[in-house]
Amino acid sequence: MDIRFEQCETLKEKPDESSLGFGKYMTDYMFVCDWTKDEGWKDARIVPYAPIELDPSCVTLHYAQETFEGLKAYRREDGKIQLFRPEMNAKRMQRSNERLCMPAFPVEDFVQAVREFVKVEQDWVPSAPNTSLYIRPFMFATEHALGVHMATSYKFMIIGCPVGAYYATGLDPVKILVEDELVRAVKGGTGFTKCGGNYAGSILGQVKAEKMGYDQVLWLDGENRRYVEEVGTMNIMFKISGEIYTAPIDNGTVLAGVTRDSMLHLLRDWGYKVNETRLSVDALMKAGHDGALEEVFGTGTAAVISPVGELRYKDDEVIINDMKTGELTQKLYDTLTGIQWGRIEDKYGWTQVVE
Ligand SMILES: *Cc1c(COP(=O)(O)O)cnc(C)c1O
């Protein structure tokens, strides 16, 4: 893929690395590529970051034909920049797009576009501990026409923003509300895809949880409101009597997280028995009361790992590991972030240097 480059006249001032937050400061450039039914993908370009013009009848604004990805570029101690398993994001986006009847962007082109984008924006990859450049590839229909159909034109774009260390003062266990009414995904739906619509539908659960004093929602399966699936926008894992449990991804309702897959690799390597199986909320709460529930944590690119300290389901409540970060949770966090930031050797071949 040839990528055209259009230089900015002036560059933005870089924000202070101690107050980056998440998604507040966009970099100078964006990657754009257009697709039409007749011509396929064309005019890949990296151009100055700027608003885009859409017709009010653009189908995305009405029917949410949109998918996205999320990954990071990490600055190592030797100054080099690396990516973590970007081809997994490329393949996942293809699966999302297939479900939403959107065109596939080739895996090699996706990885090339991310690499070129990061090269252009290398000065935006922060170097303070545990900061990174968050990369957001996304695709949406651009056709204007109000009929519901597979659109005849799409845009694939990549934008980026430097993000701060997720944990300023060490891992911080969160309080979770098990949502027993609203659902995130059903079999046959779009639960396994990263599409904007899934997120729109999940905000109410988050608002409800926050109103009740909880940080996040634990989603149960849509059919039975019984099996645990995901926490907020993360995959979730449990350590029960020394074994690991997490929801299977072959049901079509759980997102196949890159972090999830990487952690399961590490856990199996360390000799843990990993059960990718459905776990009922009743069994979970019982394990909590019996003292068998040793650790609970969410996994995702943004936070890497998010320890769970408290679970509430209807009138029942369990505290996990005294509200403290578990030993295994900490070890997984240290190992994965160690590989991602190049502090420890990557014997899995997960990282690739960009510049
Ligand atoms: C993105 C996402 C995850 C985590 O995936 P990673 O590839 O690990 O970042 C988990 N669940 C949902 C619903 C997501 O959207």
Side-chain angles (χ1 to χ4, degrees):
M1 177 180 57
D2 282 328
I3 303 176
R4 174 165 70 80
F5 180 65
E6 190 184 315
Q7 191 132 18
C8 288
E9 273 172 32
T10 54
L11 297 179
K12 297 174 189 168
E13 201 178 315
K14 309 268 186 312
D16 184 347
E17 288 193 4
S18 64
S19 57
L20 292 173
F22 184 86
K24 285 197 291 185
Y25 307 99
M26 297 302 149
T27 64
D28 292 304
Y29 292 93
M30 58 188 190
F31 172 88
V32 191
C33 196
D34 299 307
W35 185 91
T36 60
K37 199 173 164 220
D38 297 335
E39 294 178 274
W41 290 110
K42 63 164 200 282
D43 196 17
R45 57 207 186 267
I46 292 176
V47 294
Y49 186 98
I52 46 176
E53 199 167 80
L54 293 176
D55 191 279
S57 69
C58 168
V59 290
T60 300
L61 300 176
H62 303 271
Y63 310 126
Q65 219 189 8
E66 188 268 356
T67 58
F68 66 97
E69 273 301 326
L71 69 164
K72 286 173 170 178
Y74 307 85
R75 169 97 54 197
R76 307 193 316 201
E77 266 154 26
D78 64 5
K80 289 201 162 67
I81 298 165
Q82 63 186 21
L83 297 170
F84 185 78
R85 312 184 77 183
E87 66 292 339
M88 296 227 8
N89 297 94
K91 287 178 192 157
R92 185 169 68 194
M93 189 169 213
Q94 289 194 336
R95 295 197 298 273
S96 297
N97 289 1
E98 194 182 3
R99 175 64 181 82
L100 276 99
C101 275
M102 294 164 62
F105 196 74
V107 171
E108 321 77 73
D109 292 349
F110 179 104
V111 174
Q112 186 197 346
V114 169
R115 289 179 63 94
E116 292 299 319
F117 175 76
V118 172
K119 263 186 215 169
V120 167
E121 297 293 36
Q122 53 183 284
D123 291 345
W124 280 92
V125 183
S127 48
N130 295 324
T131 58
S132 57
L133 179 72
Y134 185 79
I135 302 160
R136 166 55 57 87
F138 59 109
M139 195 190 295
F140 56 97
T142 50
E143 188 188 347
H144 15 116
L146 284 184
V148 180
H149 61 293
M150 181 183 169
T152 53
S153 62
Y154 293 84
K155 247 187 200 345
F156 174 60
M157 299 180 64
I158 302 174
I159 57 173
C161 54
V163 294
Y166 199 88
Y167 299 103
T169 55
L171 293 177
D172 191 14
V174 293
K175 295 167 65 178
I176 299 296
L177 178 69
V178 181
E179 174 59 60
D180 60 356
E181 190 190 359
L182 306 171
V183 296
R184 192 193 82 86
V186 291
K187 204 170 171 165
T190 55
F192 67 95
T193 72
K194 251 181 144 59
C195 70
N198 285 350
Y199 278 65
S202 73
I203 293 171
L204 181 59
Q206 178 66 24
V207 168
K208 210 173 133 188
E210 281 171 18
K211 256 192 210 149
M212 290 174 67
Y214 293 83
D215 301 297
Q216 291 272 338
V217 175
L218 177 64
W219 297 105
L220 300 177
D221 77 286
E223 228 164 309
N224 312 286
R225 311 265 195 293
R226 177 153 181 237
Y227 300 102
V228 295
E229 293 201 326
E230 299 207 53
V231 61
T233 58
M234 303 179 106
N235 294 113
I236 187 159
M237 300 188 187
F238 308 90
K239 181 167 170 254
I240 302 173
S241 304
E243 294 185 14
I244 310 300
Y245 291 80
T246 194
I249 51 172
D250 55 13
N251 200 39
T253 55
V254 172
L255 193 107
V258 177
T259 320
R260 173 191 184 277
D261 183 81
S262 308
M263 297 225 174
L264 294 186
H265 262 279
L266 293 174
L267 288 162
R268 287 184 171 120
D269 249 24
W270 296 341
Y272 282 94
K273 180 156 194 272
V274 174
N275 305 282
E276 291 182 68
T277 175
R278 297 186 110 187
L279 176 69
S280 75
V281 63
D282 303 310
L284 174 65
M285 298 306 278
K286 182 172 181 302
H289 290 301
D290 292 351
L293 184 59
E294 293 154 352
E295 299 185 32
V296 180
F297 50 91
T299 71
T301 297
V304 182
I305 209 161
S306 176
V308 174
E310 182 181 328
L311 276 175
R312 184 190 181 95
Y313 176 54
K314 299 187 198 278
D315 294 328
D316 196 10
E317 200 174 83
V318 295
I319 302 291
I320 300 134
N321 198 37
D322 271 342
M323 263 325 263
K324 293 199 290 280
T325 300
E327 218 173 284
L328 182 62
T329 306
Q330 186 70 49
K331 187 179 170 191
L332 281 166
Y333 178 78
D334 293 341
T335 307
L336 199 63
T337 56
I339 294 172
Q340 288 168 332
W341 272 272
R343 291 188 289 262
I344 58 179
E345 191 207 344
D346 170 21
K347 63 172 182 170
Y348 302 97
W350 284 339
T351 53
Q352 53 174 269
V353 171
V354 171
E355 189 71 25

